Amino acid sequence: MIADNMTQAFQWTYNENDQEFSLHGSLRPQRADELHNCIAALEQSVASVSGLFYVNVRRLVRMNNVAFHAIGCKILDLVRTRPDLKVHVTTSSVVGWATRKFAVLETMSDKVTVSEYDSEFYPGQTFLEEGGFIPILRTQTKLTWRHERTILARHGLEPGMQVADICCGIGDFAVLMQKEYKPDRIVALDHSRSSLDYARKVAADFGVRGIDYVFGDASDMLLESDQFDFVTCRHSLQVFDRPELILKELMRICKPGGRIYITNEKNSHCLGEPRSESIQKTYTEVARLWAHFNMDIELGPKSRRYLIEAGLEDIQMESFMVTNLDGNPQDFADIVQSWEDVYAGKMAVDRGDSEDQIREFRQGFQDHIFAALHPKGYAGWPIWVASGRKPK
């Protein structure tokens, strides 16, 4: 969830996905009480986290001493009264005064660290195997979590459950479930050791406990049978050439009476205005591209059939649309750019597409970004959610 507040001079945002409170603009109050709402928002944000809490002032271009004293004292007060909390302040080398000013806090508490933003600050940006794609994955989860946060409850997730997140990737969805639903235990499994290393580091940095990150093949897991109340597998069945094998394993580890929750896409239904025709053409081509590599990014609406054929009952199904109106439109645009880089990059080249074909393919992605960022534009990415109960 992102909480926002804006004045003419500055704004603040809180991103719970990154445990990061950001300040933007020009912060020059005449009296400390003018920052009352901002300080209250900071307190409210930090109340729900433990471990490492980020305060990002990279985009704070001006700040007078009244504001620095109020913000700095609040940070020191937080780490003194919260034994489970550390604060990292991110500054920018472009705003030279910021590092000098906030570095004073490091000398006053060993629980406060300060660094200038660079490519090594966030764990994801030092990640070698998946490289720059990790920030995109985190952004995707941030946008979909706005919807799934409440959808999960409708599909049966409750506090105190035994939960498995299969094909967990970089683990951010498991962290969000742990924070929001307080399950008794979460096992998060993935076949990528580097993704799991990243996930463990984020959980440790954020003070999140109760998640067991496990290496394994989702189609042949070493997890015991009949042990989880709720099993999630998001955006993954569409990647495997035989999704029924994954479903068989999800079914095996789920308790009788427990539920399996899956999400998948149908990319040919991505949309945008203006330039809808070009956008539609490109995403129809995305579906063909995935099919060429024996993957099915059109699987979303087929989820009900897959769950029924797997033997599940009481199937629940719904869909939601992630849009450029879900927070910062640039986040949506960044995701689309990452799709273009992968789909119209290596995948299209490996398929043997000509330069003209790739140029036309790329145009639809760029038009989708144009729609997302246009003041009157609208851009959407549909996702299907389905869950079913394992018979008792």
Side-chain angles (χ1 to χ4, degrees), residues 48 187 322:
S48 62
V187 171
V322 176

Side-chain angles (χ1 to χ4, degrees), residues 15-298:
N15 181 342
E16 68 175 354
N17 193 27
D18 293 330
Q19 294 193 174
E20 181 178 81
F21 187 88
S22 299
L23 289 162
H24 315 249
S26 179
L27 192 54
R28 294 192 292 187
Q30 298 302 307
R31 305 183 312 277
D33 58 7
E34 294 176 27
L35 298 178
H36 172 75
N37 291 340
C38 178
I39 295 295
L42 174 62
E43 292 176 327
Q44 182 179 0
S45 301
V46 80
S48 62
V49 308
S50 61
L52 196 55
F53 181 76
Y54 292 97
V55 176
N56 188 333
V57 296
R58 284 194 296 135
R59 298 185 186 280
L60 189 62
V61 294
R62 296 182 182 84
M63 184 182 206
N64 65 13
N65 285 332
V66 174
F68 174 73
H69 187 264
I71 299 292
C73 286
K74 176 50 63 179
I75 290 173
L76 292 172
D77 181 54
L78 287 171
V79 296
R80 285 169 181 158
T81 57
R82 288 275 306 274
D84 62 328
L85 189 71
K86 294 183 179 178
V87 175
H88 186 99
V89 181
T90 309
T91 63
S92 170
S93 58
V94 176
V95 186
W97 57 264
T99 303
R100 293 193 302 273
K101 190 176 281 288
F102 281 95
V104 172
L105 301 181
E106 285 186 307
T107 67
M108 303 176 73
S109 172
D110 59 4
K111 295 174 68 181
V112 178
T113 52
V114 180
S115 72
E116 288 184 341
Y117 177 80
D118 60 34
S119 62
E120 295 184 352
F121 174 65
Y122 289 104
Q125 292 170 335
T126 63
F127 204 59
L128 296 179
E129 182 176 329
E130 281 79 10
F133 211 63
I134 284 195
I136 297 298
L137 293 176
R138 290 183 67 87
T139 302
Q140 286 190 176
T141 302
K142 181 174 71 176
L143 294 181
T144 59
W145 180 251
R146 287 172 172 266
H147 304 268
E148 291 186 89
R149 184 177 195 169
T150 53
I151 288 175
L152 283 162
R154 293 201 292 272
H155 287 252
L157 182 58
E158 299 175 356
M161 283 185 163
Q162 301 279 324
V163 177
D165 185 28
I166 306 305
C167 304
C168 69
I170 59 173
D172 48 350
F173 186 72
V175 167
L176 291 168
M177 281 199 296
Q178 176 74 346
K179 287 182 175 180
E180 183 73 19
Y181 284 92
K182 306 286 189 298
D184 186 55
R185 175 192 180 211
I186 295 184
V187 171
L189 179 143
D190 200 88
H191 68 279
S192 170
R193 293 185 187 279
S194 51
S195 291
L196 292 171
D197 288 344
Y198 173 87
R200 293 187 185 102
K201 186 174 189 325
V202 170
D205 283 350
F206 289 176
V208 174
R209 301 179 185 276
I211 303 176
D212 297 328
Y213 290 104
V214 177
F215 174 75
D217 177 359
S219 66
D220 187 18
M221 293 184 275
L222 298 179
L223 300 175
E224 295 181 5
S225 302
D226 303 328
Q227 62 171 313
F228 296 103
D229 301 294
F230 199 84
V231 179
T232 63
C233 186
R234 300 169 61 258
H235 304 284
S236 296
L237 295 182
Q238 61 193 26
V239 175
F240 294 95
D241 59 345
R242 297 186 63 188
E244 66 275 10
L245 294 181
I246 309 294
L247 272 172
K248 184 178 178 181
E249 277 294 272
L250 301 181
M251 184 99 161
R252 183 183 64 77
I253 65 173
C254 187
K255 288 179 182 176
R259 290 194 77 86
I260 293 171
Y261 171 98
I262 61 174
T263 64
N264 289 286
E265 302 167 52
K266 184 175 177 66
N267 256 40
S268 64
H269 282 203
C270 285
L271 52 83
E273 290 285 353
R275 303 182 182 178
S276 60
E277 185 175 342
S278 165
I279 294 167
Q280 181 64 67
K281 187 173 183 178
T282 281
Y283 284 102
T284 299
E285 190 57 36
V286 169
R288 294 194 189 101
L289 178 68
W290 275 52
H292 176 82
F293 292 101
N294 296 319
M295 301 184 293
D296 186 4
I297 203 164
E298 302 285 275

Side-chain angles (χ1 to χ4, degrees), residues 362-378:
R362 287 185 181 278
Q363 187 59 52
F365 292 114
Q366 288 302 309
D367 288 344
H368 206 199
I369 291 172
F370 179 81
L373 300 179
H374 192 284
K376 300 178 182 178
Y378 181 74

Side-chain angles (χ1 to χ4, degrees), residues 354-369:
S354 68
E355 291 186 4
D356 287 343
Q357 287 173 315
I358 291 175
R359 188 179 304 111
E360 186 176 21
F361 194 23
R362 287 185 181 278
Q363 187 59 52
F365 292 114
Q366 288 302 309
D367 288 344
H368 206 199
I369 291 172

Side-chain angles (χ1 to χ4, degrees), residues 296-367:
D296 186 4
I297 203 164
E298 302 285 275
L299 195 146
K302 304 172 188 173
S303 299
R304 182 169 183 268
R305 172 168 62 83
Y306 273 106
L307 293 183
I308 291 173
E309 291 176 353
L312 294 162
E313 57 187 24
D314 184 30
I315 309 298
Q316 296 182 28
M317 194 156 172
E318 60 186 292
S319 62
F320 63 89
M321 183 77 78
V322 176
T323 78
N324 59 324
L325 306 181
D326 289 340
N328 187 342
Q330 188 63 52
D331 287 344
F332 191 97
D334 289 345
I335 291 171
V336 175
Q337 184 60 62
S338 74
W339 291 344
E340 179 190 337
D341 293 342
V342 176
Y343 302 159
K346 189 174 188 307
M347 288 180 73
V349 171
D350 286 355
R351 186 171 64 169
D353 290 9
S354 68
E355 291 186 4
D356 287 343
Q357 287 173 315
I358 291 175
R359 188 179 304 111
E360 186 176 21
F361 194 23
R362 287 185 181 278
Q363 187 59 52
F365 292 114
Q366 288 302 309
D367 288 344

